[in-house]
Amino acid sequence: MQWETVIGLEIHAQLATKSKIFSGASTAYGAEPNTQACAVDLGLPGVLPVLNGEAVRMAVKFGLAIGAEIAPRSVFARKNYFYPDLPKGYQISQYELPVVGRGHVDIDLEDGSTKEIGVTRAHLEEDAGKSLHEDFHGMTGIDLNRAGTPLLEIVSEPDMRSAAEAVAYARKIHALVRYLEICDGNMQEGSFRCDANVSVRPRGQEAFGTRAELKNLNSFRFLERAINLEVERQIDIIESGGEVVQETRLYDADRNETRSMRTKEEANDYRYFPDPDLLPLEIGHAFIGEVMKELPELPDAKRLRFEKDYALNHRDALALTASRELADYYEAAVTASGDEPRLTANWVTGELAAALNRDALDISASPVCADMLGGLIKRIADQTISGKIAKQVFEAMWRGEGDADAIIEAKGLKQITDSGAIEKIVEEIVAANPAQVEQYRSGKEKIFGFFVGQVMKATKGKANPQQVNELLKKRLSS
Amino acid sequence: MHTKNISELAAGLRAGEYSSVELTRHFLERIRRLDGGLNSFISVCEDAALAMARAADERLQRGGAGPLTGIPIAHKDIFCTQGLKTSCGSRMLDNFIAPYDATVVERLKRAGAVTLGKTNMDEFAMGSSNETSFYGPVRNPWDGDAVPGGSSGGSAAAVAARLTPAATGTDTGGSIRQPAALCGVTGLKPTYGRVSRYGMIAFASSLDQGGPMTASAADAALVLQAMAGFDERDSTSAEQPVPDYGAELEHDLAGLRIGLPREYFGEGLDAAVAESVEEAVGEYRRLGAEVVDISLPNTHLAVPAYYVVAPAECSSNLARFDGVRYGHRCEDPKNLEDLYKRSRAGGFGDEVKRRILIGTYALSAGYYDAYYLKAQRIRHLISDDFKHAFDRVDVIMGPTTPGTAFRIGERTDDPVSMYLSDIYTIAANLAGLPGISIPVAPVDGKPVGLQIIGNYFAEARLLNVAHKYQQVTDWHTKAPEGYL
């Protein structure tokens, strides 16, 4: 039987507000336990929530970026359940009326095509605290620093058909929230979390199969792996005559397996009802217009502009707009290069990307800044150095030895473009290798490379390769 | 000193007839001497009170004193008071020292009022007789065998017995007005949103409202003046400006249109109470008011709707009392579930548990529409009833309660008969309207309350209407025997 995978994602993006969604306490990560939890976050008797306007602004930004309708009136509801790191015994969330309605994003597939993925809704809610099970010898520690951190829960339609598509969608949302500067996107710290609803069905069947919800997928790699594991598990069950049960499964990255957390029967009845402590959230046209003006250029628009203005191919433009930081870096480097967009694109997606990857660095932490890279490219363009020498210069810059000009100067890497000087060396090489000259002249033109190599060796790679070619050709055919 | 009203006390302080410390000592001494039989206080904070009184005396000397500077006041134990036990009448919070002041407490402190202590109340404000308190029932100063009403029974009894010139209360379904009526004091429930709920331990958030309980309407105006106003810490508090309540007290009542809802004078109302209320209405006629018969046709739906909405909200509001961070925690919990079960089973009393169960049920999947949503629709119907009534009249009058104070123990086994004692007060909460109860002619020596309901933010009008009655009658000046 041919199986089709159906995937929908729920993404929780922690909003990058300074203070919490319903209190004035700081949201900074990594403080001593319970030092960033005020009376409201602790759920003390008598305290009340007050909505953080900045969180609303961020949610609206996101809504506008995915072409969604912003609800003129949305409602905060209480999701009731008991858990030690949930101080009030309920989470304030949005249920029936979310702030962001239906929208969509386009994802880029492996084969170069794009696919539209529907976003069902996005709503504001508060994060819970953390339960700490280590170091407490049979007890559980509770850290409420995270309690009340604003989250935007982004729910997709079940539009994805493979783990790769799910990853592409998650990356797209990740890029978007970072472009919008509403979330730092840090998956290890949990600022960007994905849950995946996965089911399979016989190809051609319209009805969905029974789904499992996968949790604890804190990297794109784990997301992909967990989905693939789950798809295999479900197909195995069905093919061996069993039935998939609706349940929540936890992904264990160490063992690379998923385990059942709870089944549908064990699921809570959250007894949602509108939170009487908060008024309905009303958003007018004026506010939406204001937020619209704050929207930065978004990834798709930026990619199109890169393709057009910098004459880049789709793949390079896509790679260079993957994050706002990378795109900004690229554009700054183009300027510093004296307008060499294609050469710059090659360097950013080539040498630079490889070096960052090798040292596991983010673009923002690159030891070679955009100006430095642009400076290097400028010297390639004006033929001060060859591309090959440029790689040496780049490595030296990476090691912190200064900018391109200083390194070229200090190491004497300046290209030899003096025809007379090159001619002299060509003459010597031809004279020293009569046998090879003979071979060349008798038609073995492949040996030409040997002469080029000899000249470059003699000049320590500094001779202008084009000139070397020309002069050698001229000399050998005379 | 305890027979004087707040204005007179303030005048005495200003004139140097006595200091705030002396005044405070006087009331502390009365509490010590007289409260043993009443049980109206859960805690008395002598040292803190005297420190506040000394500060008030300095301010009186220095200048900058307001009408409440140096005036003692008691807070219902539902309001968080920094550094003082805030029990909410429950074993659950018997060990809870609030780390912050409720907005109401903070505002009254800023006005210079002196906190005497915290008054007894039904557990988590759930009750109409003060019998559900973990700290035992409060006795009605007019009749030691009778209840004071509830849930602000401690505040009502303390004011009635002149143990304090004023007290704060909260009203979710009648918890200020009903005990005010049964104890013969003046109790005002403001418009929902008029007084901040921050720091007031939530029972039913969409209904709860704090207000003053005093001997007279003029005193209530002074206390409300300090309590009312927008609070950025309470999203449901109103951004309406607060009028000068004192300045509005003396308006003439000629031409005032009073509506008498026929539903408030029907079956279930004690005949003598009805007579007493009608007599008071007669007084208003003599003051120039015009009396109109009106109808609030959905009145009979108020109690059932209330007993869905209030328990539903309480079931969620009381989830935070889980033994994890503060409050009662069972001994040696075996695991998390055991911790929850035994802490909550041991911390809450029966009435609270009953309401949590009702509310949890009403919010459950499959029942939500039939109960909670339907109850919300009834709230709209009830609000519409009032809206139509206020097109024709300025205020609505009727009895606050169907009868006078009942005996302690009389209704504890019959929750429904207990719930019906709030039958006339609940509708104002469901609609969010202000209401005041003032003492009128007693029946068999027991106080009777006249309830006056006004339109949204018409507190000034209510106080004016109540005050004019109190100028021509003296029921509000009467204190029970033994407490004069």
Side-chain angles (χ1 to χ4, degrees), chain B residues 221-299:
Chain B
L222 288 171
V223 179
L224 181 63
Q225 197 76 50
M227 293 172 81
F230 175 67
D231 178 8
E232 60 180 17
R233 291 173 296 187
D234 175 3
S235 309
T236 63
S237 81
E239 278 189 78
Q240 289 261 337
V242 179
D244 182 345
Y245 296 119
E248 311 266 330
L249 284 177
E250 303 295 340
H251 284 310
D252 194 83
L253 298 189
L256 178 80
R257 294 168 305 167
I258 296 172
L260 299 185
R262 68 180 69 101
E263 293 80 7
Y264 286 24
F265 291 88
E267 201 187 331
L269 175 62
D270 181 275
V273 168
E275 203 176 306
S276 180
V277 166
E278 276 153 17
E279 189 187 304
V281 173
E283 198 66 60
Y284 277 106
R285 278 204 185 87
R286 285 190 284 283
L287 287 166
E290 178 191 328
V291 178
V292 187
D293 278 332
I294 59 164
S295 174
L296 299 171
N298 292 295
T299 297

Side-chain angles (χ1 to χ4, degrees), chain A residues 64-223:
Chain A
L64 294 175
I66 60 162
E69 195 195 329
I70 306 302
R73 183 174 176 278
S74 63
V75 170
F76 286 96
R78 294 186 184 177
K79 179 179 181 179
N80 294 284
Y81 65 96
F82 285 96
Y83 206 69
D85 59 23
L86 187 73
K88 299 186 294 295
Y90 58 83
Q91 178 195 29
I92 305 177
S93 180
Q94 294 191 304
Y95 185 54
E96 283 180 329
L97 298 169
V99 61
V100 174
R102 208 191 147 88
H104 64 87
V105 295
D106 289 334
I107 59 167
D108 295 280
L109 303 181
E110 293 278 297
D111 64 3
S113 65
T114 62
K115 178 176 176 180
E116 183 180 303
I117 305 293
V119 174
T120 316
R121 59 183 282 172
H123 65 254
L124 284 165
E125 62 183 25
E126 59 180 340
D127 210 343
K130 280 182 186 164
S131 294
L132 311 168
H133 300 288
E134 290 157 26
D135 309 329
F136 291 95
H137 312 288
M139 314 251 286
T140 298
I142 304 294
D143 177 6
L144 295 175
N145 282 350
R146 197 181 67 179
T149 300
L151 295 177
L152 188 67
E153 180 174 335
I154 304 158
V155 183
S156 84
E157 289 288 302
D159 284 350
M160 288 149 278
R161 294 291 173 269
S162 68
E165 286 187 21
V167 170
Y169 166 79
R171 283 189 184 278
K172 188 63 179 261
I173 297 291
H174 188 258
L176 258 186
V177 297
R178 306 231 315 163
Y179 261 76
L180 296 167
E181 295 181 320
I182 62 173
C183 172
D184 69 16
N186 190 323
M187 294 178 84
Q188 271 75 53
E189 289 177 7
S191 338
F192 189 89
R193 312 197 280 267
C194 296
D195 299 336
N197 283 303
V198 179
S199 65
V200 298
R201 62 182 172 189
R203 198 168 289 281
Q205 179 186 307
E206 204 168 320
F208 292 130
T210 305
R211 68 173 190 272
E213 185 182 5
L214 306 179
K215 285 190 175 289
N216 198 31
L217 312 173
N218 53 17
S219 76
F220 294 124
R221 203 163 41 125
F222 294 161
L223 173 65

Side-chain angles (χ1 to χ4, degrees), chain B residues 179-228:
Chain B
L182 302 193
C183 288
V185 304
T186 299
L188 171 65
K189 178 202 100 74
T191 307
Y192 183 77
R194 178 73 297 177
V195 170
S196 169
R197 295 187 296 113
Y198 188 79
M200 193 175 109
I201 299 175
F203 159 18
S205 314
S206 73
L207 303 164
D208 295 343
Q209 185 59 206
M213 302 182 78
T214 53
S216 69
D219 286 359
L222 288 171
V223 179
L224 181 63
Q225 197 76 50
M227 293 172 81

Side-chain angles (χ1 to χ4, degrees), chain B residues 354-436:
Chain B
R354 174 159 35 234
R355 296 199 195 190
I356 291 174
L357 288 172
I358 293 170
T360 303
Y361 180 82
L363 289 176
S364 297
Y367 299 99
Y368 178 80
D369 291 4
Y371 292 105
Y372 190 79
L373 278 188
K374 198 170 205 173
Q376 292 295 359
R377 282 200 294 276
I378 292 173
R379 285 183 82 164
H380 284 291
L381 293 177
I382 286 169
S383 300
D384 287 345
D385 279 0
F386 281 111
K387 190 173 170 289
H388 295 138
F390 286 121
D391 285 342
R392 295 179 57 209
V393 301
D394 301 309
V395 294
I396 292 168
M397 285 187 188
T400 307
T401 60
T404 55
F406 43 91
R407 282 195 323 285
I408 291 172
E410 187 183 317
R411 297 187 187 175
T412 41
D413 295 332
D414 184 357
V416 174
S417 81
M418 185 76 89
Y419 296 168
L420 288 173
S421 65
D422 291 329
I423 191 161
Y424 303 133
T425 48
I426 277 173
N429 298 83
L430 291 172
L433 292 166
I436 192 169

